[in-house]
Amino acid sequence: MTKEAIRLKILPQKIGVLVWRVKQMRIPVRVELDKRGVDLDSVLCLVCEIDLDTVERIFLHCSFAKDLWARFFRWWSINRPLYSCLDHMFNGDIGSSKSKLWQVIEWVCGYLIRRNRNLTLFQRKKGSGLMTLNEVQIKAFEWISRRSRKSIVEWNQCLINLSTFDDHG
């Protein structure tokens, strides 16, 4: 069994499907829908409305995604540049024994980025990076603790002092 398959077993199937779809560039984004003849009023990113709505933009370059990834890296006390391309995302390599946990939580973060986009599209609700990071922590802990045979994370390891993550950075 591959490392990726083991990680997928402790997360809901919808996370694994999303990761596969991202890796295969199979997310229905506005640019691709427009190429297929779907009549859209705009092909701009739904969240920030600055650039074209592409898979890479949704998960990496949109202002919401960049804010969330920056908060995510600070939560883990990792000082490195944000992801620059999809090849760097979802690979779980942080060079430590925490790589398995990192990748699982990283995938949850990607899932919630996609969910925020869908809320913006279908319900006209825009989330904040701070609230979404809090949800990443809660969802990751719930899914990992309920689906793992042995406890690989304790709640106190998952919690952080959220007051250090203000809405401005």
Side-chain angles (χ1 to χ4, degrees):
M1 187 175 286
T2 67
K3 289 180 188 179
E4 189 167 289
I6 292 168
R7 290 181 189 116
L8 293 178
K9 288 178 90 174
I10 63 174
L11 290 172
Q13 187 176 0
K14 61 187 172 185
I15 304 288
V17 170
L18 175 67
V19 171
W20 178 85
R21 291 181 80 193
V22 168
K23 289 179 178 182
Q24 301 299 314
M25 303 294 282
R26 300 280 187 174
I27 303 291
V29 293
R30 292 180 144 205
V31 167
E32 294 303 319
L33 293 172
D34 186 60
K35 286 179 188 176
R36 294 183 178 123
V38 176
D39 187 25
L40 302 167
D41 22 325
S42 172
V43 292
L44 294 179
C45 173
L46 295 162
V47 177
C48 64
E49 299 177 342
I50 294 174
D51 206 349
L52 296 178
D53 189 46
T54 64
V55 175
E56 196 163 281
R57 174 116 190 121
I58 291 169
F59 290 99
L60 303 178
H61 305 300
C62 174
S63 58
F64 176 82
K66 285 167 76 172
D67 178 49
L68 184 58
W69 287 121
R71 292 172 188 277
F72 180 74
F73 283 17
R74 283 197 315 255
W75 170 33
W76 281 70
S77 300
I78 294 175
N79 186 18
R80 73 174 195 195
L82 298 180
Y83 300 118
S84 59
C85 68
L86 286 173
D87 290 340
H88 298 140
M89 186 181 160
F90 297 142
N91 69 5
D93 182 22
I94 61 169
S96 79
S97 61
K98 295 181 180 178
S99 288
K100 179 178 180 179
L101 185 58
W102 165 273
Q103 187 172 45
V104 166
I105 298 173
E106 183 181 49
W107 291 1
V108 173
C109 196
Y111 168 76
L112 291 172
I113 287 171
R114 171 75 190 279
R115 198 198 68 197
N116 180 71
R117 178 183 182 271
N118 288 342
L119 287 173
T120 301
L121 173 62
F122 298 115
Q123 297 178 11
R124 304 283 187 233
K125 294 180 181 178
K126 289 189 179 184
S128 79
L130 177 61
M131 290 181 66
T132 305
L133 180 64
N134 188 18
E135 192 171 359
V136 166
Q137 294 167 326
I138 292 167
K139 290 276 189 215
F141 176 77
E142 287 176 357
W143 288 336
I144 292 167
S145 64
R146 289 192 175 119
R147 292 170 164 264
S148 178
R149 288 190 179 154
K150 61 180 185 174
S151 178
I152 59 174
V153 65
E154 297 294 326
W155 180 244
N156 61 355
Q157 290 175 309
C158 220
L159 283 178
I160 61 166
N161 181 358
L162 287 176
S163 65
T164 62
F165 292 94
D166 62 35
D167 279 328
H168 304 301

